[in-house]
Amino acid sequence: MALAVADIIARCRAALVEHTPALAVRDVLDELVADGSSQSVLADALGPVEIGGITPLYNGDDLTILRVAWTPGMALNPHEHRMWAVIGMYGGQEDNAFYRRAPHGLEPAGGKELPAGDVLVLGDDVIHSVANTRRDFAVAVHVYGGDFFRVERSEWDFGTYEERPRDFERTRQLFDDANARWSEEQQRSG
Ligand SMILES: [Fe+2]
């Protein structure tokens, strides 16, 4: 039987009542991304990706579920979530870089490549940036233990590590620019 978006939401909601919700959500996503191919049940349920962006599947006080597709060549500057997050990759690969707070902004603290089929759990205080260096969309289901769009938090400039309030308009612009570049590139090579 085909997986529906409602099933994804129901499974994540059920995980919230477990002792450690983030780990329970990880188990849910582990199962859903298991085959890691374009034939994954998530690809079937959520449909093809034609443009990079953030698609909310569910947004409540205690849970947010997004489909996130990073456009080839794009990078999102360092940011925090102030809630746990679980990322389940089912297409392409996202490269995570981690940071810690430092007296004058941030300092790098390692990284993790996340190919399709992998699931990553991020604690409440994680600061990361994300890049898609490949030539296909990096596609994942992101689950957050709170209201992703309402909680106040910070982002940092890639170059200067200057801290500022998280700005979704800026993120939208990043996607728009990356999508425009990518479609131009596709047309040129067309
Ligand atoms: Fe993030």
Side-chain angles (χ1 to χ4, degrees):
M1 197 184 78
L3 182 80
V5 174
D7 298 327
I8 301 171
I9 296 168
R11 289 198 208 182
C12 290
R13 288 220 61 85
L16 287 187
V17 301
E18 299 287 332
H19 183 58
T20 47
L23 299 185
V25 167
R26 179 198 61 194
D27 291 345
V28 170
L29 292 188
D30 261 338
E31 219 172 278
L32 295 178
V33 302
D35 67 3
S37 69
S38 57
Q39 304 308 310
S40 116
V41 289
L42 286 174
D44 288 343
L46 301 176
V49 172
E50 269 136 26
I51 192 169
I54 295 176
T55 309
L57 305 176
Y58 181 89
N59 185 217
D61 288 343
D62 56 350
L63 180 72
T64 301
I65 308 174
L66 312 175
R67 196 274 292 275
V68 178
W70 305 111
T71 309
M74 87 175 281
L76 178 62
N77 52 293
H79 60 275
E80 60 180 359
H81 310 123
R82 297 197 191 175
M83 59 188 72
W84 57 256
V86 189
I87 300 168
M89 294 299 297
Y90 68 93
Q93 173 177 305
E94 67 167 55
D95 298 337
N96 278 262
F98 299 109
Y99 307 85
R100 339 174 229 276
R101 286 176 180 273
H104 301 290
L106 296 177
E107 59 187 30
K112 175 128 180 74
E113 291 182 350
L114 208 61
D118 272 21
V119 175
L120 180 66
V121 178
L122 303 173
D124 303 36
D125 57 350
V126 162
I127 301 169
H128 74 153
S129 62
V130 183
N132 178 6
T133 60
R134 294 189 164 195
R135 298 192 53 80
D136 48 0
F137 286 97
V139 194
V141 167
H142 292 219
V143 182
Y144 300 87
D147 187 338
F148 179 82
F149 295 104
R150 289 255 172 89
V151 169
E152 285 196 18
R153 51 221 169 86
S154 293
E155 62 178 42
W156 288 262
D157 185 86
F158 247 132
T160 63
Y161 288 157
E162 193 190 328
E163 185 170 357
R164 60 188 183 224
R166 183 88 167 88
D167 181 349
F168 282 111
E169 204 37 62
R170 202 189 293 260
T171 302
R172 229 184 310 273
Q173 192 63 52
L174 269 176
F175 274 111
D176 287 351
D177 294 347
N179 286 328
R181 272 200 312 272
W182 178 243
S183 86
E184 245 173 62
E185 218 178 291
Q186 295 301 96
Q187 272 157 21
R188 269 205 309 274
S189 65

